[in-house]
Amino acid sequence: MTTPLRPALAVTAALAATLALTASTAPAAGAADAVVSPLAANWVQTAVPDADTLPPGVTVTQWTEKNLDNRTRPRLLQLVEIDPTAAPLDLSSTVGAGDGLAETVAEQLAGVSSVASRHPVAGVNGSLFKSEKPHPDLVDAAPVTLQHLGVSVTDGVLHGASCWGGGQGTSGAVIQYGVPYITKLRTDLGLTAADGAPARLDDINRDPGRARGCARDTEDRLVAESVTGQKGVYTDPDEIVLFTSDYKYPVPKPDLDATVTTDDDPGFEVVLDSTGKVTAARAGRGGGKGSTVQVRVPSGGRILQGVGTGAAWLRDHALLGTTLKVSQKLTDRFGREIPLDPSVDVVSSFHQLLRDGAVVPELVNTCGDTDTGADGTAICTDSRVALGTNVRGHTVFVTLTGQLQPDNTTTHEDGAWLHAWGELLDSEELGLIDALNLDGGGSATLMTGTTVRTPPTDRVNGVYVHRAVADAVYAGISGYGMYKK
């Protein structure tokens, strides 16, 4: 595939050609003056397996590494381009069977439609997330539960608050009308009681008092890893958390994490119908610690759980039969509001890689960890995934991974430091304009149709598997209302 130059580069090339014609007697520039991209320097484009079976509007190109350094096998760079002019395609995200559940990308995309002809034509894993510990008091605790690290939206329904990010929020992609808009995103959540009393809503679909991965506001405090045995556990003794009807999992009971004292709070719980009317108000959360009761969000309704002063506010102001107003505001890096209507999906991340055809200046070179993982791979150099747009205005999914190994004794994992990943994507041959770093490592999954094109890297019981994730981005059949989930 030959990719046209970016607009700015095309202008530069045209100007250079004109100057060459008008100054033909000038000395020729030396070969050393040519700028060679990271892709051109060390990668060769290779044939794509099953290229002739790809759905219309889906193009896959791949490059294989030439110089291996200390690697035993070359890395593989794959790019899927979605062309809505070649087929009636749209872009969406999905949380699968439920927002509280973790599933593989294959499972999530298979659940989009039961009709084979309407199955997504391509997809990739989405937002950063943290898996939760099994809850001892939830009888359905076999599936892995999770919480988002930032904004997640499907069909206008917000599933997670933004990370605080010094008040700036964190990066994400707003998906609307088939095009990802990559920017900084920040949420502003609140409650107003019938008597006019206001309260802050801290987050959505996660255990009150215990945030993972990032602070959601200035009141969240980091708990030492030596205490929790986990990195990035934040605590806040005074919170209110909302649960949506597509959570599809019993809401939390107290004492999910014995190392976090605020999690012990029995708190207070309120059930809202679709209009915000309080239909139940009770002490305790999720039926109470040690109880066999399993509380789920009613269809079309919502549940509020509070701890500390959050529990006190709900008890005093969310009175049975009254109506609560839930306010949810999403803004971009310019402070512009993004309406949360059914046309909007969002996936989020900590880092934007490319902006306006260049590596983002503030992009760090690592996630801040130089240790090695259990498989011996250096943390932060594991498999990479990106969502972006190119010079044709098309959506692209890009992955950087290792290749399948001959057996299960060697990891499939391989990727790049974050800044090096951005520099590779900035190669002119790819023609990318904006790109967002998505969850990588074991989450890295790229699909076309029902074919998974990336190797599994999570080892479970001696077998490599693809990780269950929080959400996925996919291109699906669209156009004139013909496609229904």
Side-chain angles (χ1 to χ4, degrees):
M1 180 184 73
T2 301
T3 302
L5 293 174
R6 299 172 189 158
L9 296 175
V11 171
T12 302
L15 179 59
T18 301
L19 291 174
L21 289 174
T22 57
S24 58
T25 58
D33 295 335
V35 176
V36 179
S37 74
L39 189 70
N42 195 37
W43 298 76
V44 59
Q45 192 166 339
T46 50
V48 176
D50 305 321
D52 57 342
T53 66
L54 294 172
V58 178
T59 302
V60 181
T61 50
Q62 70 177 21
W63 289 261
T64 302
E65 191 174 23
K66 292 189 295 186
N67 301 316
L68 304 188
D69 295 327
N70 294 324
R71 295 181 173 87
T72 59
R73 286 173 177 257
R75 293 175 294 175
L76 190 66
L77 179 74
Q78 299 183 82
L79 185 147
V80 173
E81 181 174 353
I82 308 301
D83 182 2
T85 67
L89 302 178
D90 200 359
L91 194 68
S92 300
S93 73
T94 178
V95 294
D99 188 57
L101 307 175
E103 296 177 299
T104 64
V105 173
E107 290 170 334
Q108 290 186 341
L109 298 192
V112 167
S113 177
S114 59
V115 180
S117 61
R118 297 172 181 169
H119 191 278
V121 297
V124 71
N125 60 285
S127 305
L128 303 177
F129 69 97
K130 288 291 186 181
S131 299
E132 290 285 37
K133 298 178 178 180
H135 199 299
D137 286 343
L138 294 182
V139 296
D140 297 332
V144 175
T145 59
L146 55 89
Q147 60 174 273
H148 297 277
L149 296 189
V151 182
S152 174
V153 177
T154 54
D155 299 330
V157 178
L158 190 63
H159 295 129
S162 62
C163 294
W164 178 239
Q168 301 301 310
T170 44
S171 297
V174 179
I175 301 168
Q176 188 176 33
Y177 309 128
V179 180
Y181 164 47
I182 300 171
T183 184
K184 287 277 191 181
L185 294 170
R186 179 177 171 179
T187 51
D188 185 7
L189 313 176
L191 297 169
T192 305
D195 61 8
R200 181 169 60 198
L201 181 59
D202 292 84
D203 210 343
I204 301 173
N205 292 352
R206 59 106 170 145
D207 193 35
R210 183 177 178 275
R212 295 286 309 282
C214 66
R216 274 49 166 194
D217 54 47
T218 57
E219 295 183 358
D220 287 352
R221 295 289 179 266
L222 184 63
V223 182
E225 183 181 356
S226 59
V227 174
T228 64
Q230 292 179 313
K231 292 183 178 180
V233 176
Y234 291 80
T235 185
D236 182 353
D238 305 302
E239 284 195 327
I240 300 177
V241 172
L242 176 86
F243 292 86
T244 62
S245 60
D246 51 6
Y247 186 61
K248 303 300 182 185
Y249 193 76
V251 294
K253 296 173 180 287
D255 206 19
L256 167 65
D257 187 346
T259 66
V260 177
T261 57
T262 57
D263 183 65
D264 299 340
D265 191 340
F268 200 82
E269 186 172 271
V270 169
V271 181
L272 307 178
D273 67 11
S274 59
T275 68
K277 183 179 179 180
V278 179
T279 60
R282 55 204 174 220
R285 297 189 287 125
K289 181 179 178 180
S291 168
T292 59
V293 174
Q294 308 291 298
V295 178
R296 295 177 181 268
V297 184
S299 178
R302 289 169 288 186
I303 284 180
L304 292 164
Q305 287 191 347
V307 294
T309 58
W313 188 93
L314 290 175
R315 183 181 59 248
D316 295 342
H317 299 285
L319 304 180
L320 193 64
T322 63
T323 299
L324 290 182
K325 179 182 178 181
V326 179
S327 62
Q328 300 178 340
K329 185 177 180 181
L330 178 64
T331 54
D332 68 6
R333 69 188 182 101
F334 302 108
R336 300 176 301 197
E337 184 172 359
I338 299 167
L340 291 169
D341 64 48
S343 68
V344 172
D345 293 341
V346 176
V347 292
S348 61
S349 170
F350 287 156
H351 302 292
Q352 182 171 350
L353 300 165
L354 302 181
R355 183 185 300 135
D356 299 330
V359 177
V360 175
E362 63 268 24
L363 183 65
V364 297
N365 193 44
T366 172
C367 66
D369 199 328
T370 57
D371 294 335
T372 56
D375 57 13
T377 302
I379 295 173
C380 307
T381 63
D382 50 12
S383 301
R384 294 292 182 182
V385 181
L387 167 68
T389 55
N390 65 14
V391 292
R392 287 174 290 278
H394 296 169
T395 298
V396 291
F397 306 140
V398 196
T399 59
L400 176 65
T401 67
Q403 298 195 41
L404 284 171
Q405 302 291 333
D407 55 48
N408 278 329
T409 62
T410 306
T411 179
H412 307 279
E413 188 76 87
D414 209 351
W417 299 101
L418 193 60
H419 202 281
W421 172 224
E423 291 173 341
L424 181 61
L425 293 183
D426 193 36
S427 296
E428 181 180 346
E429 295 81 2
L430 299 180
L432 301 181
I433 299 298
D434 292 327
L436 177 73
N437 190 59
L438 296 178
D439 199 18
S443 298
T445 310
L446 175 67
M447 296 186 67
T448 54
T450 57
T451 300
V452 180
R453 310 190 72 89
T454 46
T457 59
D458 271 14
R459 194 177 177 106
V460 178
N461 297 324
V463 178
Y464 282 111
V465 298
H466 286 91
R467 181 181 298 164
V469 299
D471 53 20
V473 184
Y474 67 91
I477 307 300
S478 181
Y480 306 104
M482 294 170 59
Y483 178 54
K484 297 184 183 298
K485 293 183 180 179

